[in-house]
Amino acid sequence: MKNAVSTQYHLDNIDKQIIYMLMDNAKTSLAHISKNVGISTTAVHQRIKKLEQAGVIENSISFLNPRKIGFNVVSYIGVFLEQPSHYHDAVKALQDVNEVVEAHYTTGNYTIFLKVLCRDNDHLMQILNKLQKLKGVTRTETFISLEQSINRQLRV
């Protein structure tokens, strides 16, 4: 489980411009960024390295479109655990369920809140059966997303 970072990194306007360009397209060239922010490619490279070392930029990845590879159902599953002490064992078991793409330890009704990608409702049922057999899980509550209206990174 990742812990919150205790120190903050001050972002100036150039850092923000660089970050926004990389958020829009992680493959943006240093030359293109340099031209748009008004500093040399070497300076852009140095700033990106500093941002990575400070943990502001964690990684540069390309995102898969789940629907293009047959995962048409996005669901959110609230998991009720018998006792909070089962949390770490449950998360360890959830690591082996490929369709679970996010897991959050939450306040409120659920101990764990999951984002799960499935091919169809039958596949979702298989995943639910798997989840409900995990040690400590007393029950689950499922929500199916009909449409994702907003999908973005935090802008600072």
Side-chain angles (χ1 to χ4, degrees):
M1 183 170 82
K2 293 183 182 177
N3 293 327
V5 177
S6 59
T7 58
Q8 290 184 340
Y9 185 87
H10 173 72
L11 299 173
D12 65 19
N13 285 335
I14 292 175
D15 289 333
K16 290 177 185 179
Q17 289 177 53
I18 292 169
I19 289 168
Y20 295 155
M21 291 181 76
L22 291 173
M23 285 169 45
D24 289 339
N25 181 358
K27 295 181 180 182
T28 302
S29 72
L30 296 179
H32 181 74
I33 295 171
S34 170
K35 182 179 175 183
N36 282 281
V37 301
I39 62 174
S40 71
T41 56
T42 302
V44 169
H45 180 73
Q46 290 171 344
R47 281 179 177 259
I48 292 171
K49 286 295 172 203
K50 279 185 181 179
L51 292 166
E52 289 172 340
Q53 290 169 352
V56 175
I57 297 175
E58 290 188 344
N59 51 36
S60 300
I61 62 170
S62 297
F63 289 96
L64 291 176
N65 179 338
R67 292 187 189 278
K68 295 288 184 183
I69 57 171
F71 286 76
N72 297 309
V73 176
V74 177
S75 63
Y76 296 88
I77 302 172
V79 178
F80 296 84
L81 294 181
E82 189 175 30
Q83 296 193 17
S85 61
H86 292 294
Y87 172 72
H88 293 291
D89 290 334
V91 169
K92 187 175 180 183
L94 289 167
Q95 293 285 348
D96 295 332
V97 182
N98 186 55
E99 294 84 355
V100 174
V101 295
E102 290 183 22
H104 302 269
Y105 189 34
T106 62
T107 61
N109 291 332
Y110 316 114
T111 310
I112 306 172
F113 201 67
L114 307 174
K115 180 177 180 181
V116 179
L117 302 176
C118 297
R119 290 183 296 277
D120 51 34
N121 286 346
D122 290 334
H123 186 204
L124 175 58
M125 185 61 111
Q126 292 170 9
I127 299 303
L128 287 170
N129 289 333
K130 193 181 292 188
L131 297 177
Q132 291 164 354
K133 291 177 184 174
L134 296 178
K135 180 182 175 187
V137 173
T138 57
R139 69 185 182 98
T140 61
E141 189 171 324
T142 305
F143 305 88
I144 294 176
S145 173
L146 301 176
E147 177 183 307
Q148 182 175 352
S149 304
I150 299 173
N151 181 20
R152 63 178 173 213
Q153 297 258 348
L154 177 66
R155 299 258 180 186
V156 291

